[in-house]
Amino acid sequence: MHILVLGAAAGGGFPQWNSHAEACRRARAGDPAVRPRTQASLAVSRDGRDWFLLNASPDLRQQIAANPALHPNHGLRSSPIAGVVLSGGDVDVIAGLLNLRERQPFTLHGTARTLGILDANPIFEVLARDVVARSALPLNERVPLTGGGIGGAESGLWIELFPVPGKVPLYLEGHDGPPPIVEGEDTVGVAVDDGERRFFFIPGCAAMTAALADRLRGAELVFFDGTLYTDTEMIDAGLGKKTGLRMGHMSVDATLAAFAGLDVRRRIFIHINNSNPILMDDSPQRRVVDQAGWEVAFDGMEIAL
């Protein structure tokens, strides 16, 4: 399998448009130790010809432009993008779909809950249903990954969506206090395999459960939620009043402990908030992560599995 990291940052990207914090200032200034990153998304292909996006970030048009593998390559109009897999309904997961509205056939995969959010919002009808297939996938069931739109073909890849602790998207939160952290169709992890090799993509996760630990134990490759370094990071920095848990994200320091003993061969943090010091290659927190054997994803990172 071929894997491209299209974007590695959390919602807002890095540097975030309205942030004047140190890391964002250094990124804007072109500091080589602080690389800019667009919002989190992967592309995966079995043959290097047909590609599937894991999440469609608001930066998708920029990400396509930056990756020649995703450029049109025949006829007047075409795209190597055969499908999109959604891990939830957050803005930084679905907004990029609006970049794919020019009647290009592809298949859109997600849970029934996530696709229901799209169905309820007429703006997503710009993805013409006569060419863009919407495929509701069950949880905890490995199924062939299809692409190419209506009547699309199998890709040679398999996919499984599985629940991880999370919450409803911010824009669907009510006014009765913080939403509960639950396991269901709102926040899912994605497992992709080609029959021989498998990797996991989990850009949002509020806690490590026994079931999730069992699923990941011995894995060859895991992309995992790296939003905040500590649970109180936003509060301590004066950037907000929410903890990481309240936002539906497990902190990096907790993740390092949770993965100890799981024997995951390659571990990569993704969906990294602009406040997280691991974005600075020379920070003490980055040294901790490096010494623990973790990598920090960056735009343009390529992996052959």
Side-chain angles (χ1 to χ4, degrees):
M1 286 185 288
H2 309 277
I3 303 168
L4 297 176
V5 176
L6 304 182
F14 178 68
Q16 185 168 295
W17 69 278
N18 64 344
S19 173
H20 189 56
E22 177 192 0
C24 289
R25 294 199 307 271
R26 290 179 63 183
R28 288 194 188 95
D31 188 327
V34 190
R35 286 179 282 189
R37 290 163 166 88
T38 58
Q39 294 168 86
S41 177
L42 300 183
V44 59
S45 175
R46 186 174 185 270
D47 55 16
R49 183 184 67 247
D50 297 322
W51 291 85
F52 290 82
L53 308 183
L54 306 188
N55 291 347
S57 91
D59 298 320
L60 181 54
R61 184 180 182 278
Q62 176 183 347
Q63 293 166 345
I64 292 173
N67 288 275
L70 302 183
H71 292 180
N73 53 34
H74 66 274
L76 291 177
R77 288 191 177 182
S78 64
S79 175
I81 298 173
V84 181
V85 180
L86 302 175
S87 68
D90 287 299
V91 170
D92 54 343
V93 172
I94 65 174
L97 292 172
L98 299 179
N99 290 291
L100 304 179
R101 64 187 182 274
E102 280 80 16
R103 293 192 59 80
Q104 179 65 38
F106 66 93
T107 304
L108 180 59
H109 302 275
T111 66
R113 166 69 170 163
T114 296
L115 295 184
I117 292 172
L118 303 184
D119 291 344
N121 190 329
I123 195 171
F124 288 102
E125 294 304 316
V126 296
L127 302 175
R129 290 181 184 256
D130 60 330
V131 295
V132 176
R134 298 192 183 190
S135 169
L137 300 182
L139 293 179
N140 299 315
E141 184 176 330
R142 179 176 174 265
V143 297
L145 181 58
T146 59
I150 304 298
E154 295 184 5
S155 63
L157 296 173
W158 295 74
I159 188 171
E160 181 179 352
L161 302 185
F162 54 91
V164 298
K167 66 174 188 63
V168 298
L170 178 62
Y171 59 88
L172 293 180
E173 289 185 11
H175 302 286
D176 301 324
I181 299 297
V182 298
E183 291 185 69
E185 292 194 349
D186 284 300
T187 306
V188 300
V190 183
V192 182
D193 76 86
D194 64 358
E196 296 182 0
R197 302 288 184 87
R198 179 173 61 171
F199 76 93
F200 295 89
F201 177 61
I202 309 172
C205 182
M208 178 64 75
T209 64
L212 181 57
D214 287 342
R215 184 184 293 272
L216 299 181
R217 186 169 285 108
E220 187 164 6
L221 171 63
V222 176
F223 290 91
F224 198 80
D225 186 349
T227 306
L228 303 178
Y229 191 81
T230 64
D231 189 54
T232 59
E233 180 175 302
M234 300 290 287
I235 299 171
D236 296 341
L239 297 173
K241 299 180 180 180
K242 295 180 181 179
T243 64
L245 179 61
R246 168 64 180 84
M247 297 164 62
H249 296 288
M250 190 173 173
S251 59
V252 166
D253 57 356
T255 297
L256 295 179
F259 269 75
L262 292 186
D263 194 31
V264 175
R265 187 176 306 174
R266 191 169 183 184
R267 296 148 288 163
I268 303 176
F269 283 119
I270 199 165
H271 195 272
I272 308 157
N273 196 56
N274 70 93
S275 61
N276 192 331
I278 68 174
L279 289 169
M280 297 182 283
D281 295 348
D282 53 5
S283 69
Q285 295 86 349
R286 179 60 175 270
R287 286 195 294 274
V288 170
V289 166
D290 291 343
Q291 291 169 2
W294 281 76
E295 300 171 65
V296 176
F298 56 88
D299 292 24
M301 187 179 196
E302 297 186 34
I303 297 172
L305 193 64

